[in-house]
Amino acid sequence: MPIPKGVERISDTIWEIPSSFKENMKVPARIFATEKIMLDMDQGVFEQVTNVATLPGIINHVYCMPDAHQGYGFPIGGVAAMDAGTGVISPGGIGFDINCGMRLVLTNLTFDDVKPHLKELVDLLFQRVPAGVGSKGFLKISKEQFREVIAKGARWCVNEGYGWREDLERTEENGCIEGADPSKVSERAIDRGYNQIGTLGSGNHYLEIQVAKPEHIFDQGLAHAFGITIPNQVVIMFHCGSRGFGHQVATDYLQIFLRVMEKKYGIKILDRELACAPFNSPEGQDYFAAMKGGINMSYANRQVILHRIREVFERVFNQSAEKLGMNMVYDVAHNTAKLERYDINGRTRELIVHRKGATRALGPGMEGLPEIYKGTGQPVIIGGSMETGSYLLAGVESGIQSFFSTAHGSGRTMSRTKARKMFEGRRLLKEMEERGIYVRTSSLSGLAEEAGPAYKDIDDVIEATGKAGLSKKVVRFVPIGNIKG
Amino acid sequence: MPYVFLEDMATADIAFEAKGKNLEELFIAAAQATTNVMVRDLRQIKAKERREILIEDDEIDMLLFNFLQEIIFYKDAEQLIFSRYDVKIRKEGPHFKLKAEFYGERLDMMKHDLIVDVKAVTLHQFEVKKTDAGWEAIVILDI
């Protein structure tokens, strides 16, 4: 498809849409992509990224990652930083699935160790980690306890015995973001979420057993520092978020913001999904505190899932998770807004950085990194399609150009409705098994929607993030077992 | 069917168009479409449980938005999925008042052919409009 008129190429991998492109754009938009990716870019992205550029208080540029595609309001793969004093916060810039993210877990097992047990492992994981429409978790907690989870995140789980202290150090925000306020969330959000801790959800959410082949180690030193040390080492990667709780928080505040945005604050927007409120307003602050509850719920969700995964491996291999070396590499989210400090034109300013389908990727030495990764930069976990592969990257200094953000996945190119017509779940399952990927799914039609060709080529996306200097390629993983939500 | 799923409108989400001769028919069609995103065959859902819904709004599109959210709410909060929707809408001054009864049963992976979870109703390109033939709506659901 043609690149729209007015889009200027300013380097091999940076494309700029000037603020003259559309009325009221306050800053230009920048898309990070190779020419190949740009030529196939979802046309909706150009419209949406320039809509975002009209929001009050936006700083520098709106950014779009190479895996971008059309979303609702903001594009998926969008990054927008607003001045905390004069700018807005928008649920559409975060996504309904607040703090949806990736967790990567090591083992000291190799492909040969796991191969004879693969089916047993995947079957048991499928049984122990609920997935699919309306699934309930095994944790039976009261609504009151759930409010504690919202306030304490993964810390609550570790205190209750679901995980190791070390897991918290290896989670963004140490698994608990400060300032989450359960009193700012609705009863409906609690009702939707309190029985869902420890569940994957569905759509593109999954849990995978993957292998790091020697030919897929791109930076030996960084791979070693991140714990990838054995040839054909087996790792576990999973992708999920804050479930119905987060979805409801976003839905609630979308409506609150629509009621006050224009009447009370005089803000006009181009798409109702861009509903926003001044960050520094009662509504904006309430949403920020409620959204942080979603962040914590999601860390807790992934923490409990990790606990279940460790239990399954312990049972199958008859060894403790400690002996099996099941340490976390990292947990990083790609649907958030966070307060961060940046030097803007010689002045330190506090910005509310929205990342929707974009991963934070801190460079070496930065504040917010755990001690073990101070020298390496932040591990960035990128999930590809279930048929192709996934990546572990590292944050780099030049990430400053996108407020230290990079891609979050392959990026879809085909609609679910179309994929469902083109692919057949049962056949796909069989073909994948023949290629050495054993899949269990809660839905064959859901599986068909996730077929590899429905996504961009993950290798192209990662190459683009590397060339653009957003992150550095460390390891590529290939899937051998998949639990599809 | 009074609804169709649209192939090219949303990439990672699901878009549909629903139609009805009157508002009630439109709302029922949109409810069925939303349920059909999650369950392949609505005939598999037995009418064992009943839930009553009351919603009001000044805007017809927000009335539909909130109505569809009830389906998502019950799916998560009570693992209920519905196959029959009885809907009555009346206008009182500037208000639309909706009263509905949902009939369905608990989700069961062994019994229902489940597809994907709906996270939310989005307002992206969301539209309810009157046509010569009745009413139409465009809805994009977040998956």
Side-chain angles (χ1 to χ4, degrees), chain B residues 1-129:
Chain B
M1 268 196 297
Y3 56 88
V4 280
F5 293 109
L6 307 170
E7 271 185 25
D8 297 316
M9 210 165 153
T11 315
D13 306 316
I14 289 184
F16 68 81
E17 182 185 56
K19 287 181 181 173
K21 284 200 292 289
N22 50 41
L23 277 176
E24 280 85 357
E25 274 190 23
L26 172 76
F27 275 53
I28 292 168
Q32 286 171 340
T34 303
T35 309
N36 202 187
V37 172
M38 299 187 275
V39 183
R40 190 204 282 270
D41 185 355
L42 302 188
R43 289 169 304 187
Q44 291 173 332
I45 307 167
K46 300 273 174 290
K48 289 182 184 165
E49 304 249 1
R50 170 179 169 276
R51 291 291 177 274
E52 213 178 278
I53 317 294
L54 292 167
I55 315 170
E56 40 188 288
D57 208 290
D58 288 354
E59 307 294 334
I60 190 65
D61 59 347
M62 292 313 281
L63 193 76
L64 179 63
F65 180 76
N66 283 311
F67 170 74
L68 295 178
Q69 279 189 45
E70 294 294 328
I71 298 168
I72 299 165
F73 173 78
Y74 282 110
K75 174 261 305 170
D76 281 338
E78 297 190 41
Q79 290 76 52
L80 281 175
I81 199 94
F82 306 99
S83 52
R84 202 181 111 198
Y85 301 89
D86 294 345
V87 180
K88 284 197 182 80
I89 300 168
R90 59 197 174 85
K91 190 136 194 229
E92 264 183 32
H95 282 304
F96 288 99
K97 288 196 169 176
L98 177 145
K99 191 176 169 187
E101 283 169 11
F102 291 4
Y103 296 88
E105 65 176 328
R106 290 207 188 279
L107 279 163
D108 181 348
M109 214 202 277
M110 306 308 286
K111 200 169 137 190
H112 305 127
D113 189 356
L114 301 174
I115 312 175
V116 283
D117 210 350
V118 175
K119 290 176 179 169
V121 185
T122 79
L123 284 173
H124 184 59
Q125 299 183 26
F126 187 81
E127 195 181 10
V128 178
K129 66 177 179 197

Side-chain angles (χ1 to χ4, degrees), chain A residues 56 86-89 256-268 276-286:
Chain A
T86 59
V88 294
I89 183 166
I256 292 172
F257 286 5
L258 281 173
R259 284 197 290 270
V260 297
M261 188 177 51
E262 204 168 335
K263 269 188 200 153
K264 193 168 167 187
Y265 299 111
I267 301 168
K268 287 201 169 89
C276 57
F279 180 66
N280 224 339
S281 68
E283 294 84 3
Q285 287 297 304
D286 285 356

Side-chain angles (χ1 to χ4, degrees), chain A residues 19 22-28 50 52-60 268:
Chain A
S19 36
K22 186 181 278 180
E23 211 180 327
N24 291 327
M25 273 177 73
K26 296 184 172 62
V27 294
T50 47
V52 176
T54 66
L55 293 177
I58 191 153
I59 301 288
N60 287 1
K268 287 201 169 89

Side-chain angles (χ1 to χ4, degrees), chain A residues 195-246:
Chain A
N195 59 24
Q196 292 187 327
I197 300 176
T199 60
L200 272 180
S202 82
N204 60 359
H205 292 170
Y206 66 85
L207 190 171
E208 256 181 17
I209 302 177
Q210 305 170 340
V211 178
K213 294 183 179 176
E215 64 267 34
H216 290 152
I217 310 286
F218 306 105
D219 187 311
Q220 203 77 40
L222 283 175
H224 211 270
F226 290 161
I228 308 295
T229 54
I230 320 166
N232 297 313
Q233 190 169 342
V234 167
V235 299
I236 304 114
M237 183 183 282
F238 58 101
H239 175 215
C240 61
S242 50
R243 309 285 289 109
F245 174 72

